[in-house]
Amino acid sequence: VDQIKETVRLGAGLDRNMELSQPAQQRALEALARFAERIRSFAPDRVRAVATNTFRVARNAREFIVAARAVLGFPIEVIAGREEARLIYIGAAQAMPDDDERRLVIDIGGGSTECIIGVNDEPVRRESLQMGCVSITREFFGDGQVRRQSMRAARIHCAELIAAQVRAFRHLGWSYAVGTSGTAKSLSQIALAASGSSRITAETLARIETTLIATGAADRIDIPGLKPDRRPVIAGGLAVMQA
């Protein structure tokens, strides 16, 4: 019926002590205030507001949630990674046909990545991994430079996080894979601009990596299909998707 979206990137506001910075908190509160205007007439049982990975790891999350609830006017629930994965799958299933095929849904967020195998609207296996486009960019490309060795290190790190889940997911198997959220959309748009196909393949990702390394600096990345607001975190998102 309606959709509004604001990119706040709360995960980028986590400092070395894993506390949310004041500027990040302010951006979030301003966004929530705008959302509150749209939903203030809704009945309480028709609203579910959830907080995800950043609030699972931030040391001062509880204090911020109190302020956020006051601004939004509705309760805000901090959900576990597996519940986040379930909601992601249910949302993605609304845009896909009930084909009775087993499918793998991959959602690369800012601080976590959810992987879910399901059939139609029913998730069968779901996991949440501690890696995302913002967190991996901060850890491996924090100086704004995209180098071959840092890309390789980021990929290896992500692969190690995935390794524990590989056997169980392969045992179940899937007929096709679907990417959701900003990173997948950006990589798909880059692929479409480059080859005329929006499919994300290993070969496509390798070509994007070569381009990023040749560019060197995140703020100079100018790839057809890549929106400016995705430039700062595309290297981290790419590393997760490759892994």
Side-chain angles (χ1 to χ4, degrees):
V1 176
D2 197 9
Q3 175 180 319
I4 53 174
K5 174 183 177 181
E6 293 210 21
T7 302
V8 176
R9 296 226 169 98
L10 274 172
L14 287 171
D15 61 22
R16 291 182 178 180
N17 296 318
M18 297 303 288
E19 292 193 348
L20 276 171
S21 68
Q22 285 302 317
Q25 292 186 48
Q26 189 58 39
R27 290 196 305 271
L29 292 174
E30 289 170 0
L32 287 172
R34 287 187 281 272
F35 293 163
E37 293 174 1
R38 301 287 286 272
I39 65 172
R40 63 173 50 151
S41 63
F42 288 15
D45 63 353
R46 304 302 295 170
V47 175
R48 186 181 186 193
V50 301
T52 57
N53 183 72
T54 298
F55 294 92
R56 295 196 288 266
V57 301
R59 294 175 60 184
N60 58 341
R62 183 173 298 180
E63 295 88 338
F64 174 74
I65 287 289
V66 172
R69 284 171 175 161
V71 169
L72 186 63
F74 293 90
I76 299 175
E77 174 189 2
V78 181
I79 58 173
R82 286 170 61 83
E83 172 65 0
E84 182 180 358
R86 186 184 73 85
L87 294 177
I88 285 167
Y89 183 84
I90 291 172
Q94 304 304 310
M96 293 185 284
D98 285 349
D99 54 14
D100 298 323
E101 297 281 354
R102 196 168 285 168
R103 54 200 177 200
L104 170 65
V105 173
I106 301 170
D107 184 285
I108 300 172
S112 66
T113 293
E114 280 65 48
C115 300
I116 313 99
I117 291 177
V119 179
N120 297 336
D121 61 356
E122 187 67 34
V124 177
R125 183 179 181 90
R126 61 192 194 274
E127 295 293 343
S128 180
L129 305 170
Q130 277 298 112
M131 58 185 187
C133 62
V134 174
S135 59
I136 295 300
T137 296
R138 288 181 61 194
E139 185 171 351
F140 293 93
F141 312 102
D143 61 356
Q145 300 298 308
V146 183
R147 302 179 180 87
R148 190 176 305 279
Q149 59 267 36
S150 56
M151 280 298 309
R152 182 174 182 273
R155 275 201 313 274
I156 291 173
H157 173 77
C158 294
E160 289 173 346
L161 294 175
I162 294 169
Q165 308 300 331
V166 168
R167 178 175 295 181
F169 271 75
R170 282 184 174 164
H171 177 73
L172 279 173
W174 58 90
S175 298
Y176 59 95
V178 178
T180 65
S181 202
T183 290
K185 185 176 181 180
S186 294
L187 295 173
S188 177
Q189 289 171 338
I190 294 170
L192 181 63
S195 65
S197 172
S198 61
R199 290 188 67 202
I200 299 171
T201 66
E203 292 75 16
T204 300
L205 297 178
R207 287 196 295 270
I208 295 172
E209 178 185 344
T210 299
T211 303
L212 293 185
I213 292 169
T215 302
D219 59 1
R220 292 202 305 267
I221 295 171
D222 188 15
I223 303 175
L226 180 63
K227 295 181 179 180
D229 67 337
R230 275 279 146 188
R231 290 176 187 168
V233 296
I234 192 63
L238 174 64
V240 175
M241 187 66 86
Q242 284 180 308

